[in-house]
Amino acid sequence: MHLPIFYLLNFSIILVVLIFLIKYLWDMFFGENYEPPAWEQARKEGRLSRELLKASRNYPDKIRLYNFWLQIQRINKEGLKGDFAELGVYKGESARLLHLMDPGRNFHLLDTFEGFTRTDLKPETGEAATYSTRSFADTSRDKVLKYVGGNRNKLIIHSGYFPQLTHELENVNYVLVNIDADLYNPTKAGLEYFYPRLVPGGVIFIHDYNYKWEGLMKAVDEFTANIPEQFVLLPDLDSTVMIIKNKI
Ligand SMILES: C[S@@+](CC[C@H](N)C(=O)[O-])C[C@H]1O[C@@H](n2cnc3c(N)ncnc32)[C@H](O)[C@@H]1O
């Protein structure tokens, strides 16, 4: 008597799996293609590593990914010197992409690796106010190093509360900085610390400039009101802000 229900359930599961599989294959072959011509050319000429190609296929925010890559291409074409840094690494997803795109650069990875602090959460409003000290705490420096992989001797982990850990970064200049720390305090402190150390032509990205992160938007607005550069808001999934430092 229970047999038909069992078969029906089995059939439904198989049907759902099949639908997902067909959609995946359809998107792969006929889905929208955001690939910029420079990337297409590099891919055809075999200049993109297998790991980067695989990571790019799986990464959901294609516009963010290609923008990272195009900026790194520009930086290399212009022969700009300086290290990469990311403030807000969590498990290393964006760090992995950036490292795969230029594995020869020193890359500073800064995070508490224990999530947000109470001090930083306190002044937050909007969606950020619903986060807690447990958010983004399920990671560790070892897990990040393992996940990012690649050129281990170029990855420099700075574990602790930012900006308290900047003493570990004396005399470092940056050519690319990704600030992805969600809240007002670390974003403001990150801009104040990194911008003066950014080489001319270098780029700072600030992820999540959108209504969900009111404190972060305030930090960006306050900081950019006092610099000569105009920030550019990208149409990627979470609205990244990009600042390219003027050359004079
Ligand atoms: C949204 S996550 C980063 C996501 C990451 N870039 C990725 O690709 O998955 C935000 C991170 O910022 C870190 N963070 C926030 N405030 C910080 C602070 N003051 N000092 C150090 N890390 C901080 C958190 O620990 C968290 O891991």
Side-chain angles (χ1 to χ4, degrees):
M1 199 176 142
H2 291 295
L3 219 55
I5 294 175
F6 176 75
Y7 280 124
L8 206 66
L9 203 69
N10 254 353
F11 178 73
S12 315
I13 292 170
I14 291 168
L15 196 70
V16 169
V17 171
L18 256 177
I19 290 170
F20 273 101
L21 191 71
I22 290 167
K23 183 174 179 330
Y24 179 78
L25 290 173
W26 181 269
D27 285 349
M28 201 158 130
F29 292 108
F30 310 109
E32 280 196 73
N33 178 10
Y34 297 94
E35 193 179 57
W39 172 283
E40 182 191 18
Q41 189 186 22
R43 179 174 55 72
K44 286 182 176 162
E45 291 173 2
R47 287 186 278 117
L48 303 177
S49 69
R50 222 144 44 107
E51 290 88 351
L52 178 56
L53 284 171
K54 189 167 173 225
S56 73
R57 273 194 294 274
N58 296 329
Y59 193 66
D61 193 343
K62 301 290 187 241
I63 301 205
R64 186 183 191 205
L65 176 130
Y66 292 134
N67 184 60
F68 279 157
W69 186 79
L70 288 170
Q71 286 304 318
I72 291 172
Q73 292 301 106
R74 177 187 65 77
I75 284 166
N76 287 334
K77 192 172 168 194
E78 292 178 9
L80 301 182
K81 304 251 183 301
D83 291 0
F84 283 6
E86 180 168 77
L87 168 58
V89 176
Y90 185 39
K91 294 185 179 176
E93 196 177 28
S94 48
R96 179 159 192 270
L97 288 181
L98 292 167
H99 182 57
L100 283 173
M101 291 176 183
D102 195 349
R105 292 267 175 184
N106 286 336
F107 192 3
H108 302 271
L109 303 169
L110 297 83
D111 204 298
T112 59
F113 297 102
E114 292 177 348
F116 302 133
T117 65
R118 234 174 269 287
T119 324
D120 285 353
L121 283 169
K122 209 166 172 214
E124 290 298 325
T125 53
E127 190 164 317
T130 66
Y131 283 73
S132 79
T133 51
R134 286 188 305 279
S135 317
F136 300 106
D138 56 334
T139 184
S140 76
R141 48 185 294 160
D142 290 344
K143 277 188 198 159
V144 166
L145 282 175
K146 196 165 167 213
Y147 178 73
V148 175
N151 207 350
R152 173 65 189 91
N153 60 352
K154 293 287 175 187
L155 301 173
I156 308 137
I157 293 256
H158 303 275
S159 174
Y161 180 75
F162 187 89
Q164 277 168 13
L165 41 80
T166 52
H167 64 272
E168 296 175 16
L169 293 159
E170 264 171 36
N171 304 321
V172 181
N173 287 316
Y174 303 91
V175 74
L176 180 149
V177 178
N178 188 36
I179 300 180
D180 193 359
D182 295 347
L183 311 180
Y184 176 87
N185 281 346
T187 304
K188 188 79 186 285
L191 286 165
E192 281 166 356
Y193 174 75
F194 286 111
Y195 176 83
R197 294 164 178 83
L198 192 71
V199 302
V203 62
I204 298 184
F205 304 106
I206 305 112
H207 197 226
D208 296 316
Y209 184 88
N210 66 59
Y211 69 96
K212 294 179 192 164
W213 304 100
E214 292 171 0
L216 181 151
M217 289 180 88
K218 184 168 169 264
V220 173
D221 291 346
E222 282 175 7
F223 185 81
T224 53
N226 298 310
I227 58 170
E229 293 83 4
Q230 174 63 53
F231 76 68
V232 178
L233 187 56
L234 303 178
D236 60 359
L237 289 181
D238 294 298
S239 294
T240 293
V241 158
M242 184 166 79
I243 302 167
I244 299 181
K245 193 149 185 198
N246 289 346
K247 288 200 171 159
I248 22 160

